[in-house]
Amino acid sequence: MAKRAAKGPARAPRRADSLSKELIVQAAIEMLDSGGEKALTLRALTVRLSTGYGAIYHHVKDKNDLLATAADEVITGVMSGAVTEADPRTALRALTLGLFDAIDAHPWVGAEFSRQPWRPALLDFYEGIGRLLDALGVPETARFDAAGALVNYVLGVAAQNAANARLRADSDTDRETFLENAATRWAQVDPGRYPFVHAAATHLGEHDDREQFLVGVDIFLAGISSLR
């Protein structure tokens, strides 16, 4: 009597409803937020959405296209929530803080835009910054450098905070404990050689990253007043 062929692993049931690009991108964002770029694979995505590769490829070219589209979606949310009726200074603070918060919530976004600074959402952000700098009286000859300096500041600080968060996630030390340890080490340095660092130790352990970021934006705003 012939032996029956061994059965392979059971396949996950396919979804009965249609799969939209919006649903694919949202699932990708959730996977990126929980596990970073390494967690986003098309295979994992098909399992999560109970679908096949063909349905995914109908909407995106590959993983890189999906990653870029997901980053665009996050920043589009920042732009849609931007303050439009406030004075330029207030609007600029709100816009930059929106990007900072978005990268804080989605750490992978900063790295993606560093690789592809021509993405539509980032271009929209640059355009918004340029319009506000124009409204603040920054001359056209200085506007490009001013916009670049500000966007690089936002991306740099946000990316650094995201990197720090990832390092803490891989250890047993939370942010508060890490800063307390750093502050203790700063307090122990030679005040004769490092007077500022020694005095700043009292602020290091209790500072708020978000508030410190906004201080940097305010310093930038104070500086561009000299460009008028």
Side-chain angles (χ1 to χ4, degrees):
M1 185 176 181
K3 294 182 179 180
R4 291 184 179 181
K7 293 183 178 180
R11 294 183 178 181
R14 295 292 177 89
R15 60 187 308 119
D17 58 329
S18 60
L19 190 64
S20 66
K21 184 174 183 178
E22 291 74 16
L23 188 59
I24 293 173
V25 172
Q26 184 55 46
I29 290 174
E30 293 171 359
M31 294 171 68
L32 287 162
D33 288 347
S34 61
E37 291 186 31
K38 64 182 180 181
L40 180 62
T41 66
L42 294 185
R43 178 178 176 82
L45 190 60
T46 60
V47 173
R48 185 185 184 94
L49 294 173
S50 300
T51 190
Y53 288 100
I56 303 294
Y57 286 126
H58 179 71
H59 295 287
V60 296
K61 297 178 181 178
D62 50 30
K63 175 182 174 178
N64 291 334
D65 183 34
L66 179 56
L67 181 58
T69 303
D72 278 347
E73 180 68 18
V74 170
I75 303 307
T76 296
V78 174
M79 297 304 298
S80 65
V83 179
T84 57
E85 299 180 355
D87 68 275
R89 182 177 293 269
T90 300
L92 193 62
R93 291 178 93 248
L95 188 58
T96 54
L97 184 59
L99 182 57
F100 175 87
D101 286 342
I103 296 177
D104 183 58
H106 311 280
W108 48 274
V109 169
E112 177 58 23
F113 280 131
S114 295
R115 289 192 291 264
Q116 300 192 60
W118 52 84
R119 294 298 305 175
L122 189 58
L123 295 180
D124 288 339
F125 187 83
Y126 261 107
E127 191 65 28
I129 293 294
R131 284 196 298 267
L132 291 172
L133 291 176
D134 183 24
L136 286 168
V138 177
E140 194 277 333
T141 53
R143 212 172 297 152
F144 171 77
D145 288 336
L150 181 56
V151 174
N152 287 336
Y153 168 70
V154 178
L155 292 176
V157 174
Q160 183 61 54
N161 283 347
N164 291 339
R166 287 194 298 271
L167 288 175
R168 291 193 299 272
D170 293 335
S171 69
D172 297 329
T173 304
D174 58 21
R175 178 183 181 278
E176 183 178 357
T177 301
F178 176 83
L179 289 179
E180 287 178 354
N181 291 339
T184 299
R185 290 176 178 271
W186 278 27
Q188 293 172 347
V189 301
D190 179 5
R193 183 176 180 181
Y194 302 106
F196 168 75
V197 173
H198 186 270
T202 57
H203 302 287
L204 179 61
E206 60 188 26
H207 84 278
D208 183 276
D209 293 331
R210 202 166 181 262
E211 291 179 1
Q212 190 176 64
F213 167 79
L214 280 175
V215 169
V217 175
D218 288 339
I219 292 172
F220 170 87
L221 288 171
I224 65 172
S225 62
S226 64
L227 300 175
R228 298 175 184 175

